[in-house]
Amino acid sequence: MRAVPAPKVWVTGLTVGAIAAVVALAVQADKGTKPAVAVTARPSAAASPSPSAKPRPASTAVPDSSGTGRRIVYSLALKRVWLIDASEAARRTFAVWPGTVDPAPGKYSVSLRRGDPTTGSDGVRIEHIVYFTAVDGVNVAFSNAVDGSSPPPADGARTGGIRMSAADGSALWTFGETGTTVVVVG
């Protein structure tokens, strides 16, 4: 009988990619940030999950008081946005970094959009600006920093920018056409 040589261990591209993903998540955890969560559907109350299905964390569940129909939902308490399509499916949810001026809970509409980069009230270059209300003369809008940063507002500054990552800003820009409903919940 011939001896079978020991198998060689090869590091494949898939292995390297998996290691890179774990490192990226570890860095995010260390910085206290959370990755965006893509949600494919909102379970109905009548549907029972399969025994192997894991429940979604409460922070990614669409708030019950967020209305119906196609809409953008913004939770002040959770600092999170959901993009809900006409079939009531949450197409995307992600964490946001609000400014110092919050809109009151209620129903609004996208009133103006500005796609070209400009300078925000905090001096940061921003893009994908989706305006939906104003509070005491301060415009409140979703946007993302061109360079991906989200610095804290300067002490005493009144800013209504609700910042998100560039990928989330692009998704909200595509979804949030003029007239799209925005529901703000506490």
Side-chain angles (χ1 to χ4, degrees):
M1 237 176 168
R2 249 179 32 180
V4 177
K8 294 184 181 181
V9 177
W10 296 96
V11 177
T12 66
L14 184 59
T15 303
V16 172
I19 291 169
V22 169
V23 170
L25 290 172
V27 169
Q28 285 179 342
D30 188 48
K31 289 182 179 179
T33 59
K34 295 181 182 176
V37 177
V39 178
T40 56
R42 181 178 182 185
S44 69
S48 60
S50 68
S52 63
K54 292 182 182 179
R56 275 190 293 180
S59 66
T60 61
V62 179
D64 290 333
S65 59
S66 68
T68 60
R70 187 177 187 281
R71 65 199 182 280
I72 298 168
V73 177
Y74 170 44
S75 170
L76 298 169
L78 297 175
K79 298 179 183 174
R80 179 165 287 279
V81 166
W82 292 261
L83 306 180
I84 312 295
D85 69 16
S87 71
E88 292 298 312
R91 292 297 172 199
R92 189 178 186 105
T93 184
F94 47 88
V96 295
W97 303 275
T100 59
V101 176
D102 288 331
K107 187 175 178 180
Y108 304 89
S109 293
V110 172
S111 56
L112 180 67
R113 295 166 23 110
R114 183 175 181 168
D116 295 332
T118 189
T119 302
S121 59
D122 58 358
V124 174
R125 295 282 291 165
I126 58 174
E127 64 184 349
H128 299 131
I129 308 158
V130 177
Y131 296 91
F132 64 95
T133 192
V135 176
D136 297 326
V138 176
N139 288 319
V140 179
F142 300 109
S143 64
N144 64 272
V146 172
D147 68 2
S149 69
S150 187
D155 289 338
R158 292 178 39 84
T159 61
I162 302 164
R163 295 283 169 75
M164 60 205 64
S165 73
D168 294 329
S170 180
L172 191 137
W173 173 258
T174 300
F175 186 87
E177 301 163 346
T178 301
T180 299
T181 299
V182 177
V183 178
V184 177
V185 297

